[in-house]
Amino acid sequence: MLGNRESLSKNVHFIGVFDPKIRIFDIIMKTANGSSYNSYLVRGSEGVAIMDTVKKEFSSDFFVRLEALCKYEEIKYIVLHHLEPDHSGALIELMSKAPYAKLIISGRAVMMLKGLVKTDIAFEVASTGKTISLGDKTIEFLSTPFLHWPDTMSSYLHEEKILFSGDVFGSHYYDERLYDDEVGDFSYAFKYYYDHIMRPFKHYVLEALKLYAKFEINTIAPLHGPILRSNPQFYIDKYAKWSSEAKFRKHQFGKKMVSVFYMSSYDNTQKMAQKVMQGADKVEGVVASMYDLASLDEQNMIDLLEESDAIIVGSPTINGDAVKPAWDLLSCMAYLESSGKIGAAFGSYGWTGEAPEMLHDRMRWLKFRLPVKPLKIKLIPTEDELMDCVAFGQEVAEITMGKMVEMEI
Ligand code: FEO
């Protein structure tokens, strides 16, 4: 029933499913080319391991592929590299069919398992260095947390030199030709996936790459999109580069970046922004910049936020709220690491002036360090108030440079 294409090798087979029509994944990701939920079957002399399952609504295709290759009684292990439903959706049904299968999950997955499956199931925990045996096949586990779920792990099939990487190295790219050397050009999907899924965890990516480097890898078998067999190192190098590159400004000048983002209705918040920036720029070792949110697209926002050591957001208050572009800016932090960045908020207002405090609170939830109180000024700033803006920017910049103060005001 299965052609050769589904066989990564004599003993390892693709049993995943295709979702060509999906156009938005996980609410935030556009998937112009659809996607796949990859699952793999590994056969050894003493049994079979199933590496992840698929999204629940596609499980019938998954079971057809699986049944063509093994009997349920042969399944010795079911490995879930993380518990997200697009890969655990068929778990309960599979466990009910496979009487001798033992579930393998990471330690971090234990707390999540019951919440996901709503029943008690037996499992075994794997961490770095643990191995399972299928007789003539050995699978070794690697703890690679936060890529992109806290419980993520990877595994390596020694005899075939295959890395089961979880979502790492994935692409939302449906193509039944399966392999990177046979499918269409998926380079944009590979980068887009990295940017939206892995980029917030780039330090964890680098840790995972160190673990992967201990193994000779012939094939990377990710959970979405093409299987990477032509030159795995090419993709590893891409991840290494994207996760470690310094942004060009920092790289060029070695200074701390303080960025002032603002929107203004009647130039009042804009005048404040100008002074905040001037105050920040007075500090030795800092380069301050300002950006009108009215004209920044999302990718620019993400790049600037990533590059910035301190992010100061200015918004007028309209109908008791900050303006939408300010919220859009902060929503971009979903794609980035925010802990450690300095945050601050300001704005001019006419009646109630909630916006700076609302933005300040939002940044607190995003784990910014917040050393100064929000600054708000009623309508047109006076000369004295503009000097307060200078002092505000200067204080944020000095703290960014290491001045010691109490955080979380
Ligand atoms: Fe593809 Fe994190 O699930």
Side-chain angles (χ1 to χ4, degrees), residues 25-26 82 84 86-87 148-149 167 172 193 223-224:
F25 187 89
D26 266 3
H82 73 309
E84 196 165 7
D86 53 330
H87 310 296
H148 62 125
W149 270 29
D167 282 329
H172 285 308
Y193 193 92
L223 288 178
H224 298 285

Side-chain angles (χ1 to χ4, degrees), residues 252-271:
Q252 274 186 312
F253 305 116
K255 293 191 173 179
K256 297 279 188 184
M257 309 297 296
V258 175
S259 295
V260 181
F261 298 90
Y262 71 95
M263 278 283 283
S264 198
S265 305
Y266 296 104
D267 288 343
N268 297 325
T269 302
Q270 191 271 342
K271 283 179 187 151

Side-chain angles (χ1 to χ4, degrees), residues 62-81:
F62 165 74
F63 285 114
V64 167
R65 290 181 188 274
L66 186 153
E67 287 167 15
L69 290 164
C70 79
K71 294 185 170 49
Y72 289 110
E73 291 74 17
E74 294 181 286
I75 300 174
K76 198 170 171 187
Y77 296 106
I78 300 167
V79 175
L80 284 188
H81 290 95

Side-chain angles (χ1 to χ4, degrees), residues 95-158:
M95 291 205 75
S96 72
K97 291 172 187 266
Y100 308 117
K102 190 178 285 181
L103 175 64
I104 309 283
I105 56 175
S106 73
R108 281 191 168 92
V110 172
M111 296 294 287
M112 302 161 71
L113 184 65
K114 184 127 188 220
L116 188 79
V117 300
K118 303 298 179 196
T119 184
D120 285 318
I121 53 176
F123 60 85
E124 200 171 294
V125 168
S127 53
T128 298
K130 178 185 169 72
T131 59
I132 55 174
S133 172
L134 299 170
D136 61 353
K137 298 280 179 293
T138 305
I139 296 167
E140 181 169 345
F141 293 94
L142 310 166
S143 181
T144 50
F146 296 100
L147 298 179
H148 62 125
W149 270 29
D151 59 316
T152 305
M153 61 180 182
S154 309
S155 62
Y156 178 75
L157 176 59
H158 277 267

